[in-house]
Amino acid sequence: MSLDPPTYLNSLQNNIRARPIPWEGAVRAGTITDQDLKKIKAVDKVRKEQRKQTVEADVGTYRDLLLGGDSGKSVLESAAKRADVVQYILVLTGDLLNDVPGLPSALLDHSDPYKPFLPLLTYSSNPEDPIPLLTSAVLASLISAAQTKFPKSTPQTDQALPKLYKYLAGLTKSQDSGLQDIAVQEYSAVLRTRKARELFWKQRQETVGPLMEILRTASGAGKDTDSTLWSGGASIRTATDAGLGGGVGLQVLYHVLLVLWQLSYEGSLVGKGLEEEHEIIPLYTQLLRLSPKEKTTRLLLSTLLNLLTPTSNRSYLLATAVSVRLPNLLSNLKGRHLTDPDLLDDLQSLTDMLDEYTSSQTTLDEYSSEVLAGHLKWSPPHRDQTFWRENASKIITDNKGELPKKLAEIIGKGWDNDKQVLAIACNDVGWLVKECPEKRGELEKLGLKGRVMELMAEPDENVRYESLKAVGEWLRYSFDK
């Protein structure tokens, strides 16, 4: 998949190409050899076709120039103390990789094709330093070529990728959208194989975390503002061509979504983790509401489909999708004038999947889905006496007490932006105690009694009311006993 080069990087490379380099002085100083200079001048500032012919006629010589060989070190290693020369050689290397189809393969035949480049990723801690930026571009291009040449990966590539990911992760944390765009485009260039995606996921605190923060900002929900995602508080009218929430530009948004779409092809590996750690289903549902372009809508739908399709994810992620009203949103999307055939196919597949799931759900299934999704709202079961009388015992005992454990997890959070969740959780605990007083001990062991008592001091009036009712049920049966 070909993307336009990041503007920031393109501008930097053009500036370096235009700089005069005192090559003869570098030779006199021993920075590079006279033979190195001859090879460089033969391909520097010449037409693309001439450059191609020169390198292809002596590809081994240029491999030794860039990577080192029996006759000496890489020119990058020789010139390590001259930042201007290193920058120029890195730009020239990128140009040669693009202009000479046979060069990447020749470099990859070297015993250690990434050796001269990897140390340069840590050349400086300044994210705007040209040397690591230019190095990452060369490495992304070379690793992408390696994934084509060696589909089963190689030890050298497997060792290089985590180092490249670590550097690019730092760029994604920058406030500069130009640096962010470089990182996500280079991520995309190398996420072509299962192994690359598995390594990316293994480093997910560094790699995935900052990308999800960019998406949360775009959705209008900063970190911990769960209520915005679950309520669908923003509308499509808040998105413009210039950007979405927090000033996230559409180009950066598209490229971030592209990276996560590529990652979603390992849906069975990443699906549950993305939901547990980043609430990706509510987040993508909200972004679908905001998405002003078909190309972003297409990536959002395709990613959701990839995550919801694996059997191992369905019971957990489909429940969350229903809780955040994704089926209703998909129905609304069908009313838009959408033309992309892949988008329309994914939209129909998602709709069919969710229709099949919801049609088989009982009231208890719906309640379970809501609890397991990790976010409560005042849906009908919560205040239905008949529901609790018929189902309280099952809720406590089924699946080794899965639902009470999840309630304990939910009620244990602060929910600073959605106190209603705490009120509903207290309500549910009260019903469980009322209908199954003999199970009070089991519920108490989960910490539910202690937490409900703490919430009697909660400033929110509704939380106090529901917690007092729940504690009252506990005390009532204690006194009866």
Side-chain angles (χ1 to χ4, degrees), residues 398-409:
D398 282 3
N399 295 321
K400 299 180 180 179
E402 178 183 40
L403 291 178
K405 290 174 185 174
K406 188 65 180 181
L407 269 178
E409 178 186 319

Side-chain angles (χ1 to χ4, degrees), residues 425-443:
C426 289
N427 167 84
D428 291 5
V429 172
W431 277 112
L432 292 174
V433 174
K434 180 177 182 177
E435 296 299 331
C436 299
E438 71 282 4
K439 302 289 186 181
R440 296 194 312 279
E442 295 177 27
L443 298 174

